[in-house]
Amino acid sequence: MSYTTIDQVAGMFPTFQRGTPQQKPSDALIQTYIDDVAGDLDAVLLRRFVAVSSGQTPAQALAAFVAGLAADAINVLEKANRYGAAVQLAETLATFGVATAREMQAVFAQRYAELKNALDARDASGRPLASGSYDKLFDPQARTETARPGLQAIAGGDQPPGQSPADLGSSAVFGKFDKRGT
């Protein structure tokens, strides 16, 4: 199941002409790019958000999950699918001598990586994060971060002597070996 269309991906390239007998790459190849990226997004959704119950295949569970998503979540999937397919289309157009395709490909690749990492709850290096930017759109029970301060404390027993919560980037008020104020 794809989340974007050939028109939307081709629209990322204002000078790309579709519908002519000489069109290269073909719409069928662009659809393949779209389907490739949609498969990657589906894998992320299945791993992070979709519960597969007995009697269901993963494809059935995924289809039911996507059918129940709000418009904002579908829009996120569409954008990620569009940018990912645009990366592949730009690579192909560059081989046909389209001068700006390589620069566009770099921009699209960076944006696609950011979108996919946010959906997959990964940092730029691929390390897992506690939550992703879009978690609340895909799982109403996802952890909600807030800007309001809360009561936080670190016992410090699991820290080396002389290390404080601030050394780890934590804003915890209390810590066993906290040296702030000495």
Side-chain angles (χ1 to χ4, degrees), residues 14-168:
T15 60
F16 180 57
Q17 297 293 319
R18 288 184 54 232
T20 66
Q22 298 83 14
Q23 176 187 328
K24 291 186 181 180
S26 67
D27 282 355
L29 186 56
I30 297 170
Q31 185 62 51
T32 300
Y33 299 156
I34 292 169
D35 294 342
D36 287 348
V37 175
D40 293 341
L41 298 175
D42 288 348
V44 170
L45 292 176
L46 277 168
R47 185 178 61 76
R48 293 206 63 229
F49 302 110
V50 179
V52 180
S53 61
S54 61
Q56 275 186 321
T57 66
Q60 291 169 332
L62 178 65
F65 175 77
V66 170
L69 289 176
D72 286 342
I74 296 295
N75 290 341
V76 167
L77 293 172
E78 186 282 324
K79 184 167 51 169
N81 200 176
R82 179 171 23 104
Y83 272 92
V87 169
Q88 294 183 40
L89 179 55
E91 290 170 350
T92 304
L93 291 173
T95 66
F96 291 129
V98 177
T100 59
R102 200 156 309 281
E103 291 82 19
M104 294 173 78
Q105 185 271 343
V107 172
F108 295 157
Q110 179 182 356
R111 185 67 183 132
Y112 171 65
E114 291 168 359
L115 290 163
K116 186 175 175 218
N117 284 342
L119 181 65
D120 199 15
R122 303 276 172 173
D123 66 12
S125 301
R127 290 184 298 263
L129 299 171
S131 64
S133 300
Y134 302 119
D135 284 5
K136 216 44 170 172
L137 291 176
F138 293 92
D139 182 3
Q141 296 179 357
R143 184 176 113 181
T144 303
E145 295 180 13
T146 180
R148 293 175 291 213
L151 178 61
Q152 297 179 350
I154 296 176
D158 57 344
Q159 295 176 334
Q163 184 179 55
S164 70
D167 296 336
L168 301 175

